[in-house]
Amino acid sequence: MGYEIQIIDNPAGVAAPFLVARRIEDPTLPTVLTYGHGDVIRGLDAQWQSGLSPWKLTQVGGRYYGRGTADNKGQHSINIAALRAVLQVRGKLGFNSIFMIDTGEEIGSPGLHEFARQYRHLLQADVLIGSDGPRLAPERPTVFMGTRGALNFDLEVEFRAGGHHSGNWGGLLANPGVVLCHAIASIIDARGHVQARDILPDRIPDAVRAALADVVVDPGPDGPEIDEWWGERGLTPAEKVFGWNTFEVLAMSTGNPERPVNAVPPRAKAHCQIRFTVDKDPSTFLPALQRHLDAHGFSAVKVRGPSHEIMNATRLDPGHAAVQWAVRSVTQTLGSKPAVLPNLGGSLPNEVFTDILGLPTVWVPHSYGACSQHAPNRSEEHTSELQSRQYLVCRLLLEKK
């Protein structure tokens, strides 16, 4: 396709190199940076439905199944195909194009920040247009301009060196699993309302609330039914997931769940996560949680972390010129206004592009919420839908303003 390609070792020393492809047609033309990631999660082969495999792209009815079809190989492949289609028709793009492939995104993109600083000269652009994550609803085009952040950490209780017979010691020894459950219940109640208020924003900005006013979270026919009773009181479903912070328990253990024994366990652990917007400083979260636990009588529960590299939150004003341009293009192409999200509910290393490279970021996702992302039986959309998305990306890229 006429790109100059470099594969560059990760400055963090991990086996996750970066690919940078550059097609500079004229230095005076606008430059578009596009991002994708080539790494995927484990195949989990045995958990796939009969006739499906993570290692083979399979079309069933209106969907493609395979590892990485939705996250992210299928998505950035659509964008590459769109660029190729423009070159086949025009012989040129009419703008400069830089494409970057990250191969460590699923483990937090180690080295990406340093890579962007070291190789800034290879990534200079006017705007980032990328594709990752789901559309708001399967049939509704979506544009989002940032992401919520993600902070993973552990809550740990350790009372003693080993377990002790539950007949001889039950009722005499504090059970760390019970204590941890009550500690978590002090942080978030039985209806998902966060009670540790210092990890939440003070309010949703008016511009964000206005942008989310016509946004309906539609899981589609294969998605999970939304629990309307769960989460922050007084917020719409869209505001809960795109405009607010959430606390989640991702995994929890005490004793040996696979082979339980009659003993009071010595320790308990919960792996937790806070998804957060730009409206709150994530460096305050873990100290705030420890203060909350101490104040509620759970000083034995220790907050440990972060356990992964923090993905920071980003958000571009919905009124930004790049956003309005993208919305006009999508509307003209498909004949309907897209959902406009100030930020996605999930997380991406978008702060690399906004904070280090100083770019406005516009994301046009090709996936959908019920695609089983990060789980067996991952799927991408129908062939005709893929073709319409290619056309949409072509239109986005072809406009010169």
Side-chain angles (χ1 to χ4, degrees), residues 187 194-202 244-245 274 276 279-293 295-296:
I187 295 171
V194 174
Q195 301 178 113
R197 305 301 287 180
D198 285 346
I199 67 171
L200 301 177
D202 296 328
W244 205 245
N245 293 3
I274 298 173
F276 58 93
D279 307 301
K280 197 77 174 184
D281 180 1
S283 68
T284 66
F285 292 158
L286 300 189
L289 284 176
Q290 191 65 69
R291 289 196 304 271
H292 172 89
L293 292 170
H296 286 76

Side-chain angles (χ1 to χ4, degrees), residues 127-166:
V127 63
L128 174 119
I129 300 177
S131 297
D132 202 336
R135 297 191 297 277
L136 181 65
E139 300 304 323
R140 187 176 185 187
T142 300
V143 174
F144 65 87
M145 294 78 71
T147 61
R148 284 200 298 182
L151 171 61
N152 289 54
F153 61 97
D154 296 316
L155 298 178
E156 297 181 353
V157 186
E158 184 163 3
F159 282 149
R160 53 195 71 90
H164 294 273
H165 192 284
S166 58

Side-chain angles (χ1 to χ4, degrees), residues 308-322:
H308 298 70
E309 186 169 342
I310 299 174
M311 281 193 175
N312 287 310
T314 59
R315 179 190 291 154
L316 184 63
D317 190 314
H320 190 281

Side-chain angles (χ1 to χ4, degrees), residues 198-315:
D198 285 346
I199 67 171
L200 301 177
D202 296 328
R203 58 186 291 273
I204 297 177
D206 293 339
V208 174
R209 193 179 291 274
L212 297 176
D214 70 338
V215 169
V216 177
V217 181
D218 178 8
D222 299 323
E225 183 178 351
I226 294 173
D227 296 315
E228 299 284 352
W229 52 270
W230 181 264
E232 181 70 10
R233 292 188 286 269
L235 299 185
T236 67
E239 290 170 343
K240 290 177 184 179
V241 74
F242 302 122
W244 205 245
N245 293 3
T246 58
F247 174 91
E248 301 291 347
V249 177
L250 304 183
M252 185 165 63
S253 67
T254 189
N256 189 337
E258 288 74 30
R259 297 177 65 87
V261 296
N262 295 321
V264 179
R267 62 187 64 86
K269 179 177 179 179
H271 186 67
C272 305
Q273 183 183 73
I274 298 173
R275 296 276 184 171
F276 58 93
T277 68
V278 297
D279 307 301
K280 197 77 174 184
D281 180 1
S283 68
T284 66
F285 292 158
L286 300 189
L289 284 176
Q290 191 65 69
R291 289 196 304 271
H292 172 89
L293 292 170
D294 293 348
H296 286 76
F298 298 108
S299 57
V301 180
K302 302 302 180 183
V303 182
R304 312 285 191 195
S307 57
H308 298 70
E309 186 169 342
I310 299 174
M311 281 193 175
N312 287 310
T314 59
R315 179 190 291 154

Side-chain angles (χ1 to χ4, degrees), residues 4 15 35-36 62-63 75 83-84 92 110 122 148 175 180 234 244-245 258 272 277 287 307 331-332 358 378 384:
E4 295 181 356
Y35 169 86
R63 293 181 179 162
Q75 299 215 42
L83 291 164
R84 181 186 294 274
K92 61 180 181 179
L122 296 178
R148 284 200 298 182
N175 189 303
L180 181 58
W244 205 245
N245 293 3
E258 288 74 30
C272 305
T277 68
S307 57
T331 302
Q332 182 180 354
R378 288 174 286 280
S384 61

Side-chain angles (χ1 to χ4, degrees), residues 27 35 48 101 105 114 192 255 273 277 286-287 318 336 381:
Y35 169 86
W48 286 62
I101 297 290
E105 193 270 350
E114 183 58 31
Q273 183 183 73
T277 68
L286 300 189
S336 61
E381 308 97 331

